[in-house]
Amino acid sequence: MKIFLDTANLESIRKFNDMGLLDGITTNPSLMSKEGGNPKDAMKEITKIIKGDVSLEVVSTEYSGMMEEGKRLREYGNNVVVKVPMTPDGLKACKSLSSEGIPVNVTLIFSSNQALLAAKSGAKYISPFIGRLDDIGQDGMSLIKEIKEIFSHYDFGTQILVASIRHPLHVIDAAKIGADVVTLPPAVLDKMLEHPLTKIGLDNFLADWSKLTSGNADIKI
Ligand code: E4P
């Protein structure tokens, strides 16, 4: 399963990329807005830091605007995936951009029917938002299971990118289902790194080492 980071924060991107954890990045207009500054500069910088796919989202809502923005975004880097919303114009843009060799991520997917249609339009990725479904009392992970089952019968070549992830258990469940990609907020990835027994174990190792070597500054590893 690939891990993408769901952020436009350059510091977080560099931090996790330096650990070798990141296969790609997803952004959206809200995440860009959270960081402030000039979004174009940030987008260009992200495509340079990350070798894998970087999803950058259009803000036009009609076909021709999406096409123009999608092509401009793609000029930022060969790893740019154009993110379009799950609307009729979005799917039309998905089909056109994909036919021109520009990969597309169809976002704001909330049903298996939408996932099926986005795959038919040639999307490289579909992004079902599981946390937002959980928020309204629906089971987001069941949607991932259902889409996975549907896609297993066909040869779309479309990857399931599990989005709107809220906690580490979402990641385990997505991996058990065999989702292609999860996109994680930095806070979730931080939580996945930690375990209290790791910290206690390390503290004990260091305390024992210090007992062993105390008074002998010459002992260095
Ligand atoms: C996906 O690409 C979106 O950027 C993201 O996962 C949305 O998550 P949210 O529901 O936490 O805003």
Side-chain angles (χ1 to χ4, degrees), residues 26-212:
T26 53
T27 64
N28 64 39
S30 302
L31 292 172
M32 299 305 311
S33 167
K34 194 172 157 198
E35 299 308 318
N38 184 335
K40 284 169 75 173
D41 292 343
M43 288 176 183
K44 285 178 192 165
E45 188 59 23
I46 296 170
T47 63
K48 286 198 190 85
I49 301 171
I50 295 292
K51 290 209 165 48
D53 284 351
V54 175
S55 285
L56 302 178
E57 189 161 344
V58 300
V59 288
S60 283
T61 53
E62 39 73 43
Y63 170 74
S64 59
M66 287 185 195
M67 290 301 292
E68 280 167 28
E69 288 177 5
K71 286 178 187 177
R72 279 204 296 273
L73 289 171
R74 179 69 180 180
E75 282 171 14
Y76 295 171
N78 281 337
N79 52 348
V80 169
V81 174
V82 176
K83 213 171 175 189
V84 302
M86 177 61 214
T87 61
D89 282 58
L91 291 192
K92 194 174 164 191
C94 175
K95 179 180 181 294
S96 299
L97 290 167
S98 302
S99 319
E100 292 181 33
I102 299 177
V104 176
N105 174 356
V106 178
T107 189
L108 293 167
I109 299 273
F110 292 97
S111 74
S112 294
N113 278 321
Q114 289 180 320
L116 186 56
L117 298 180
K120 294 284 291 179
S121 288
K124 177 170 185 181
Y125 299 104
I126 49 125
S127 294
F129 279 34
I130 59 166
R132 293 193 194 185
L133 282 171
D134 290 354
D135 288 347
I136 60 160
Q138 294 182 22
D139 180 8
M141 205 53 73
S142 301
L143 174 62
I144 304 302
K145 266 189 214 135
E146 193 172 68
I147 297 171
K148 177 82 184 161
E149 187 190 339
I150 292 168
F151 281 17
S152 75
H153 300 306
Y154 307 101
D155 196 17
F156 293 129
T158 301
Q159 297 178 47
I160 304 171
L161 192 167
V162 183
S164 188
I165 282 184
R166 301 272 196 260
H167 50 71
L169 277 179
H170 273 154
V171 183
I172 300 288
D173 288 340
K176 277 155 80 174
I177 293 168
D180 301 292
V181 192
V182 285
T183 189
L184 309 179
V188 173
L189 200 38
D190 269 326
K191 284 182 194 147
M192 288 169 65
L193 284 166
E194 291 164 11
H195 194 286
L197 290 179
T198 303
K199 183 174 172 359
I200 292 168
L202 182 58
D203 288 347
N204 287 339
F205 285 156
L206 296 181
D208 289 342
W209 184 257
S210 148
K211 248 188 275 165
L212 173 70

